[in-house]
Amino acid sequence: MINKIDSLLAEINSLKANNSEELEALRIKYLSKKGEVSSLMNDFRNVAAEQKREIGQKLNILKTQAQDKINELKEKLDNRNASEEIIDLTRTSYPYRVGTRHPLSIVKKEISDIFARLGFSIAEGPEIEDDWHVFSSLNFAADHPARDMQDTFFVQHGADILLRTHTSSVQTRVMENTQPPIRIICPGRVYRNEAISYRAHCFFHQVEALYIDKNVSFADLKQVLLFFAKEMFGPETKIRLRPSFFPFTEPSAEMDISCNLCGGKGCPFCKYTGWVEILGCGMVDPNVLENCGIDPKVYSGYALGMGIERITNLKYQVKDLRLFSENDVRFLKQFESAT
Ligand code: DAH
């Protein structure tokens, strides 16, 4: 038995492995349950009592040396693999996956860019507003239904602190602090106390435009509206203005564009009228100018306001408003190629 152990020891000490498969084969041959070392261990039972001590010690040495040898071979292989790995420093890196812009951001940017080309700069204001900037300065009568709890989210009812219901509040803020000429657009989020459905949400986004100077007329407004519609929806787009009412403009109008789906022929989207409404506009009411410290005898101007969701729906036919705020990647990644 001692001879057997010695020869096995010599064998193990001279082991070599060229790859991990060979190494595994060696491990199985010597160290597995049915391997050579284990079978010697089994034979140990039959060893005479007076030899047990000596052979036991030898067997233990054999076992640890076998284990050490296998570990050593493994380490050698690992090091070799690491040092042989080829690193190509000239290789370009993997493409970096960038996220996609939100469709509302895409459209907001597009609207802002069109107005920027006409010399409008961007103005922003707070989303938590007061009654003066959202309603009173804009000529809303004290009993106007928009002031009602049904439509407006009040933060502090008694103190008239509320979430703005439109970005027209930014008009007031700019006019209070700036003398004309004023040429701004105000993109931003607005809030209304609506039941959430596919066509209404408790928050949405608007872009407001305001132009105040000497001798600004309705003709100037019309020209800007036509330019905007053609830039946004294509050169063949037609516009039409319908008389309307807003407390802060006089006269007021709503603008329709020729349906961009059917080209004005009539389809389910435009309810077979050939037209779809996209914004409200008008000449700034003299009371509003006066409320903001601008002399209506010297200056006049126009304002217009549109919903970004509405324009986005027209451009991309998004049928359910809720998709804009659900963060469903399957929806969002469809806008990958848009700028
Ligand atoms: N503030 C209006 C709204 O939220 C939109 C609007 C209409 C803005 C006419 C204007 C305007 O500046 O002239 O429905």
Side-chain angles (χ1 to χ4, degrees):
M1 177 116 182
I2 293 194
N3 287 343
K4 243 187 175 176
I5 296 176
D6 283 343
S7 70
L8 202 54
L9 249 180
E11 194 179 320
I12 285 174
N13 277 328
S14 61
L15 288 180
K16 285 192 174 61
N18 288 318
N19 52 46
S20 50
E21 289 81 34
E22 279 182 32
L23 179 67
E24 179 61 8
L26 293 177
R27 192 191 64 77
I28 292 169
K29 180 167 182 214
Y30 294 103
L31 290 176
S32 67
K33 266 194 185 152
K34 289 185 181 152
E36 308 218 3
V37 175
S38 311
S39 71
L40 272 183
M41 292 276 193
N42 287 336
D43 295 345
F44 184 66
R45 267 183 262 139
N46 310 321
V47 167
E50 64 274 15
Q51 282 193 307
K52 273 217 149 93
R53 198 180 142 85
E54 191 192 353
I55 292 187
Q57 273 175 355
K58 278 208 169 256
L59 271 177
N60 277 337
I61 291 172
L62 173 69
K63 199 178 162 189
T64 41
Q65 287 217 358
Q67 187 67 61
D68 286 353
K69 186 71 191 180
I70 297 287
N71 288 348
E72 178 195 313
L73 290 175
K74 182 172 174 352
E75 211 164 292
K76 261 194 197 153
L77 272 180
D78 287 352
N79 286 343
R80 199 176 71 184
N81 289 343
S83 64
E84 275 175 8
E85 193 185 344
I86 298 164
I87 301 174
D88 178 2
L89 294 174
T90 62
R91 214 177 117 171
T92 49
S93 63
Y94 290 107
Y96 186 65
R97 245 193 75 79
V98 283
T100 58
R101 268 183 205 267
H102 193 282
L104 294 178
S105 304
I106 295 170
V107 171
K108 180 173 88 173
K109 183 169 181 301
E110 221 174 309
I111 298 170
S112 306
D113 287 350
I114 294 171
F115 279 97
R117 293 203 280 283
L118 294 170
F120 286 75
S121 54
I122 291 180
E124 285 180 328
E127 291 179 14
I128 300 177
E129 263 293 5
D130 51 35
D131 177 275
W132 169 254
H133 290 97
V134 177
F135 297 127
S136 301
S137 65
L138 293 167
N139 216 23
F140 279 78
D143 57 356
H144 193 284
R147 293 172 180 247
D148 201 295
M149 286 281 272
Q150 310 293 309
D151 287 322
T152 306
F153 284 116
F154 286 91
V155 178
Q156 265 176 356
H157 200 218
D160 281 335
I161 304 294
L162 45 93
L163 298 181
R164 67 181 180 194
T165 56
H166 55 183
T167 45
S168 306
S169 54
V170 186
Q171 280 190 22
T172 306
R173 289 199 172 266
V174 171
M175 286 193 282
E176 279 174 340
N177 296 313
T178 328
Q179 278 301 305
I182 295 171
R183 193 153 34 171
I184 50 152
I185 57 164
C186 330
R189 181 174 286 182
V190 300
Y191 301 83
R192 286 186 202 173
N193 195 355
E194 302 258 9
I196 296 170
S197 73
Y198 74 98
R199 54 196 215 111
H201 212 295
C202 59
F203 66 81
F204 54 99
H205 301 79
Q206 289 186 331
V207 176
E208 179 91 10
L210 176 72
Y211 181 36
I212 312 280
D213 205 346
K214 286 178 183 152
N215 302 319
V216 179
S217 72
F218 203 91
D220 297 316
L221 170 61
K222 252 175 100 173
Q223 204 51 49
V224 162
L225 292 172
L226 184 63
F227 178 79
F228 171 73
K230 284 180 183 290
E231 289 289 294
M232 194 74 204
F233 295 101
E236 62 296 329
T237 311
K238 295 189 183 67
I239 64 167
R240 85 175 177 189
L241 292 170
R242 286 177 290 105
S244 183
F245 173 80
F246 299 103
F248 36 89
T249 45
E250 184 59 38
S252 306
E254 271 167 329
M255 179 173 96
D256 299 339
I257 57 163
S258 49
C259 177
N260 63 323
L261 284 191
C262 61
K265 286 191 204 77
C267 69
F269 188 72
C270 59
K271 302 199 183 83
Y272 299 98
T273 61
W275 297 96
V276 282
E277 184 200 320
I278 65 162
L279 55 77
C281 58
M283 300 307 290
V284 178
D285 194 297
N287 287 345
V288 175
L289 294 176
E290 214 163 292
N291 284 340
C292 300
I294 291 174
D295 187 348
K297 288 188 209 77
V298 182
Y299 294 107
S300 58
Y302 62 74
L304 59 101
M306 68 189 99
I308 301 181
E309 277 81 351
R310 173 100 186 125
I311 307 285
T312 309
N313 287 351
L314 284 173
K315 280 214 92 146
Y316 296 111
Q317 282 92 54
V318 180
K319 301 243 163 53
D320 188 335
L321 262 183
R322 291 169 292 196
L323 284 166
F324 291 129
S325 48
E326 276 168 354
N327 274 340
D328 186 332
V329 182
R330 290 167 303 178
F331 169 68
L332 295 174
K333 74 176 178 197
Q334 297 176 56
F335 299 88
E336 209 146 12
S337 59
T339 50

